Amino acid sequence: MRAVIVEAHGGPEVLRLAEHDSPQPGPGQLLVDVTTVGVNFMDIYQREGRPPYAGDVPFVLGSEGAGTVAAVGPDAQGVRQGDRVAWTGISGCYAEQVIIPADRAVPVPDEIDLETAGAVMLQGMTAHYLVTDTYPVAEGDPVVVHAAAGGVGLLLTQMVKMRGGVVVATTSTLQKAELARAAGADHVASYDDFGIVVREVTGGEGAAVVYDGVGQATFDASLAALRARGCMVLYGGASGPVPPVDPQRLQTGGSLFLTRPTLVHYIADVEELRWRAGEVFDWIAKGELDVRIGGTYPLADAARAQEDLAGRRTTGKLLLLPGI
Ligand SMILES: NC(=O)c1ccc[n+]([C@@H]2O[C@H](COP(=O)([O-])OP(=O)(O)OC[C@H]3O[C@@H](n4cnc5c(N)ncnc54)[C@H](OP(=O)(O)O)[C@@H]3O)[C@@H](O)[C@H]2O)c1
């Protein structure tokens, strides 16, 4: 089987498509034929060796996908050969086959195709935990969603609207602004003027929460856009990592809250994983949540997919399809 290997940390040029032996599932494990691989920022950080994502080289990149169970290891409970499953947080997914623990495999309902399932495991469950648990959005809450035409952003915008929030979205282009509006954003602003828009929309009060996956470029203005006791949710750093923050800024900003969440702690056990994925799948099946696949690439073009993502040229979710 073929897999994309990082031979040394570095730029997109370090990715290499190579032949591997087909892995064998051990106790409690599944061998899966991969249909869909999710492309994520984390893959870029791991390729670069950026802390805290750096691992030992060489390794097969990728952590998310969906496919069909090809073989079931001893003692793997509740899953059979031929079942359709999806996952996130599993190493070595830029590949035609992957080994996953049976208790991290999420069954894919019949109504959901494998491309869609693989597209929402990381970004869909992230948007879900951000609006339900990190800061539970309430009816009427003014909410800033940065990079609203991106993979997380489009899903987050829709989920905030499902809970009755008022979305002030940011995007860098008119085309992306249109996508954010179509996803339900009430107001779309640039990164330079979103703070002004928030003040206008809230009568000067400020946002209840800012969901910020852009990081370095937006952090200061995001903090300044919050109302007293507002919540700064820094969930990523597409523009770069945020430098250390003096806690006194939270006091002077209005007794603010700051959190830096990550998905793994919100799908900590199999019950939470399956509940969260199940809600996302349910909304898709009912037509309440639209999933935009912004680009598909063969495995051999993994480097191009990562360049497009990092270069702000994409909208929605990017997928590698090992079968094309
Ligand atoms: N904490 C978690 O659990 C978790 C889970 C998933 C993802 N994330 C994070 O969430 C963020 C978004 O991930 P995603 O996969 O959905 O990506 P994405 O939003 O599809 O792509 C990133 C977007 O960020 C915007 N951006 C602004 N400044 C940028 C810059 N200097 N370089 C690159 N992009 C810039 C761009 O949109 P515009 O052109 O409109 O500005 C770009 O399209 C990433 O930081 C990722 O690491 C965190």
Side-chain angles (χ1 to χ4, degrees):
M1 68 112 184
R2 296 176 313 153
V4 177
I5 298 174
V6 176
E7 292 194 307
H9 293 131
E13 70 284 352
V14 302
L15 299 184
R16 191 169 65 82
L17 191 61
E19 280 294 335
H20 267 254
D21 291 337
S22 195
Q24 296 301 313
Q29 294 181 330
L30 311 171
L31 173 67
V32 180
D33 289 333
V34 178
T35 305
T36 305
V37 183
V39 179
N40 291 296
F41 262 89
M42 198 173 54
D43 309 340
I44 296 172
Y45 304 152
Q46 287 177 342
R47 186 202 73 213
E48 291 171 341
R50 191 191 292 191
Y53 304 95
D56 293 337
V57 288
F59 64 96
V60 178
L61 200 54
S63 67
E64 177 190 40
T68 307
V69 176
V72 178
D75 305 324
Q77 305 291 329
V79 188
R80 287 179 306 186
Q81 193 179 357
D83 283 359
R84 296 174 341 127
V85 294
W87 61 87
T88 185
I90 306 294
S91 304
C93 298
Y94 280 25
E96 290 173 328
Q97 293 187 312
V98 68
I99 295 286
I100 60 176
D103 63 2
R104 300 311 284 177
V106 176
V108 177
D110 292 343
E111 309 79 46
I112 313 268
D113 61 71
L114 286 176
E115 283 193 19
T116 305
V120 295
M121 292 305 287
L122 181 68
Q123 295 174 343
M125 287 199 289
T126 294
H128 186 279
Y129 83 71
L130 291 174
V131 301
T132 57
D133 293 294
T134 307
Y135 175 89
V137 173
E139 185 79 31
D141 273 347
V143 176
V144 175
V145 176
H146 283 308
V152 177
L154 282 173
L155 299 168
L156 192 51
T157 299
Q158 294 176 75
M159 289 185 201
V160 172
K161 292 310 297 174
M162 287 162 77
R163 296 175 67 92
V166 177
V167 174
V168 176
T170 57
T171 61
S172 67
T173 67
L174 288 175
Q175 187 234 349
K176 289 184 176 186
E178 279 313 307
L179 285 174
R181 273 196 199 92
D186 300 275
H187 310 273
V188 184
S190 72
Y191 292 101
D192 293 329
D193 70 2
F194 75 89
I196 297 168
V197 173
V198 167
R199 296 290 161 193
E200 278 171 8
V201 167
T202 61
E205 201 180 32
V209 57
V210 177
Y211 293 116
D212 190 343
V214 172
Q216 196 178 79
T218 45
F219 184 81
D220 289 342
S222 295
L223 219 54
L226 286 166
R227 71 186 183 195
R229 290 157 54 178
C231 189
M232 174 68 194
V233 180
L234 176 68
Y235 71 93
S239 68
V242 173
V245 180
D246 178 355
Q248 288 302 331
R249 290 181 63 190
L250 304 178
Q251 178 194 349
T252 54
S255 299
L256 305 176
F257 295 86
L258 167 64
T259 179
R260 198 338 184 161
T262 194
L263 176 62
V264 67
H265 303 120
Y266 288 87
I267 49 171
D269 56 39
V270 63
E271 285 76 26
E272 190 172 27
L273 168 68
R274 292 194 175 169
W275 164 70
R276 220 175 272 293
E279 288 226 321
V280 174
F281 285 158
D282 197 38
W283 293 337
I284 296 167
K286 286 182 184 150
E288 294 170 7
L289 183 68
D290 181 54
V291 180
R292 178 180 173 84
I293 313 280
T296 57
Y297 305 76
L299 265 189
D301 284 351
R304 185 164 59 87
Q306 292 192 350
E307 285 172 317
D308 288 346
L309 182 61
R312 304 173 78 162
R313 291 189 285 277
T314 66
T315 58
K317 180 73 188 179
L318 300 190
L319 297 174
L320 305 179
L321 303 178
I324 62 174

